[in-house]
Amino acid sequence: MRWDRSVDSEHGGHPLDVVVLLLPPVSLGAVGAIVDPLVEANRLGAQRHYNVHVVSADGSPVALPGGGRLSVSGALPALVRCDALIIASDLHQPDANESDILSQLRRIGRIGAAFCGNRGGTGWLAAAGLLDNRRVAVHWEDMTLYRERHPALVLCASLYEIDADRLTASSNQATLDMMLCVIAQQVSPQLADNVARQLGLDRIRPGHEKQAVPATSRISQHPPKLNEALLVMEANLEEPLSSDEIAECVGISRRQLERLFKQNLDILPSRYYQELRLERARQLIVRTQQSIVQIGLSCGFSSGSHFATAYRAHFGITPREDRSRATLTGSQGIESRAGGTPATEPSC
């Protein structure tokens, strides 16, 4: 969405016109992840920040997978202008109307609208050529398909990506986080935090966080040498190896290793390795009573200060604050006595 416009009427802004396009199959969960944060932002903000309109390809109600239908207020061809078009779809499933829909999306792109897609919506935007050369968050299960069908995209294994006026999310839950991040940037972090709590969330996840990928899937979807490197990293979290050592373990040069990571994961090996260790550390922070310093050392960080700095840079919150939040929300497997207070600013 357009970041150069204020939506705070107290500072001369005007509500943004947001159109949500429903393209079957689409579930209530997909629609809710988009619409609910915007509606709550209007309600809790005590003013209208967003004008939300729901449309379909032809103006007809949209059938839900489990039965029932969702009413809409208009048809895509009748759309003259909007600030942002968000596509809600569980799956890019082309039908006889695909060429007309893609043509309409390109038309709207020419009038300067921003575009946003959830997991299925991203497929429609990619098919329309509206994501070429942009960073795009893709669900881990869809990575191979996207590499084959859309080579012009910069694929990311992150939760969501905000690349100027192109926003993409890897799942419905990631879409919810992304919409909250939009509210934080366009209106205020405090309002976004209030909306998050109203929707039952204890924090707003930043887009750069990695998707929760099962280990077997994480290992099986990449070239063999990259798979080997990932296994080496996962087996050496406590005493991290250098990129040269990892490359030597799998029988390639450091340059080849970096190229594999960049082409398949869009990240340097050293950065991926650190994020892998931080994700492991976070599991221990919120689920155990181990001391924070000990957790940092066990995940390959040389000191408590180094660990705390890297943790905050990645998660937007200190280890102690994260443990405190986990205790307050009941998400720890074992009750922790760590101190600290929960952060109130969203971490996007």
Side-chain angles (χ1 to χ4, degrees), residues 4-300:
D4 58 347
R5 283 190 55 190
S6 169
V7 295
D8 186 349
S9 62
E10 292 183 1
H11 295 85
H14 301 284
L16 288 176
D17 288 316
V18 178
V19 174
V20 182
L21 172 61
L22 310 184
L23 294 177
V26 58
S27 63
L28 281 174
V31 178
I34 296 167
V35 174
D36 288 354
L38 301 180
V39 171
E40 285 299 311
N42 286 342
R43 185 177 71 85
L44 296 177
Q47 65 186 71
R48 183 170 293 277
H49 298 294
Y50 301 96
N51 293 322
V52 182
H53 313 275
V54 180
V55 305
S56 64
D58 60 3
S60 300
V62 176
L64 294 170
R69 303 172 77 81
L70 279 177
S71 297
V72 298
S73 61
L76 181 61
L79 183 60
V80 176
R81 64 163 301 279
C82 64
D83 292 301
L85 181 98
I86 306 176
I87 302 180
S89 179
D90 294 333
L91 177 68
H92 174 216
Q93 189 171 322
D95 58 20
N97 298 320
E98 181 187 25
S99 60
D100 291 336
I101 294 172
L102 297 181
S103 177
Q104 290 294 330
L105 292 177
R106 297 186 191 106
R107 175 183 66 83
I108 294 167
R110 289 193 291 271
I111 66 177
F115 285 99
C116 172
N118 68 347
R119 180 177 178 180
T122 295
W124 283 98
L125 293 175
L130 295 168
L131 298 177
D132 290 357
N133 303 312
R134 301 294 190 108
R135 293 178 60 85
V136 178
V138 175
H139 191 278
W140 60 268
E141 285 185 326
D142 304 332
M143 277 290 185
T144 301
L145 179 66
Y146 271 77
R147 287 195 190 98
E148 295 173 354
R149 292 186 178 178
H150 308 293
L153 274 57
V154 181
L155 303 180
C156 305
S158 48
L159 293 177
Y160 57 90
E161 288 291 333
I162 299 178
D163 188 338
D165 58 354
R166 297 293 188 267
L167 296 79
T168 53
S170 60
S171 66
N172 286 343
Q173 184 60 48
T175 301
L176 180 58
D177 286 299
M178 183 173 69
M179 298 311 297
L180 290 167
C181 191
V182 166
I183 293 168
Q185 294 192 34
Q186 292 183 334
V187 187
S188 76
Q190 186 59 56
L191 178 61
D193 194 62
N194 291 341
V195 172
R197 294 180 186 279
Q198 187 68 28
L199 297 177
L201 304 178
D202 67 320
R203 73 183 184 108
I204 303 172
R205 295 181 299 173
H208 63 70
E209 280 195 22
K210 291 186 179 298
Q211 299 170 41
V213 182
T216 53
S217 298
R218 192 165 59 239
I219 297 304
S220 65
Q221 63 178 325
H222 302 304
K225 288 298 182 181
L226 179 55
N227 291 341
E228 291 180 38
L230 295 176
L231 286 170
V232 169
M233 288 180 175
E234 293 195 4
N236 293 274
L237 296 181
E238 187 169 347
E239 296 183 8
L241 305 176
S242 68
S243 292
D244 286 325
E245 290 171 323
I246 296 170
E248 184 178 353
C249 286
V250 300
I252 59 177
S253 69
R254 174 174 179 163
R255 189 168 183 175
Q256 288 174 306
L257 179 72
E258 292 176 344
R259 188 182 303 117
L260 278 173
F261 271 82
K262 192 64 178 175
Q263 290 176 344
N264 293 274
L265 299 174
D266 192 37
I267 194 172
L268 288 172
S270 56
R271 178 69 180 273
Y272 182 93
Y273 203 179
Q274 183 183 68
E275 291 184 1
L276 191 66
R277 292 184 288 120
L278 285 168
E279 295 290 346
R280 173 56 180 161
R282 185 168 193 271
Q283 292 178 3
L284 297 174
I285 289 289
V286 302
R287 296 178 184 175
T288 76
Q289 287 182 305
Q290 279 185 264
S291 77
I292 291 174
V293 172
Q294 184 59 46
I295 289 173
L297 295 175
S298 71
C299 291

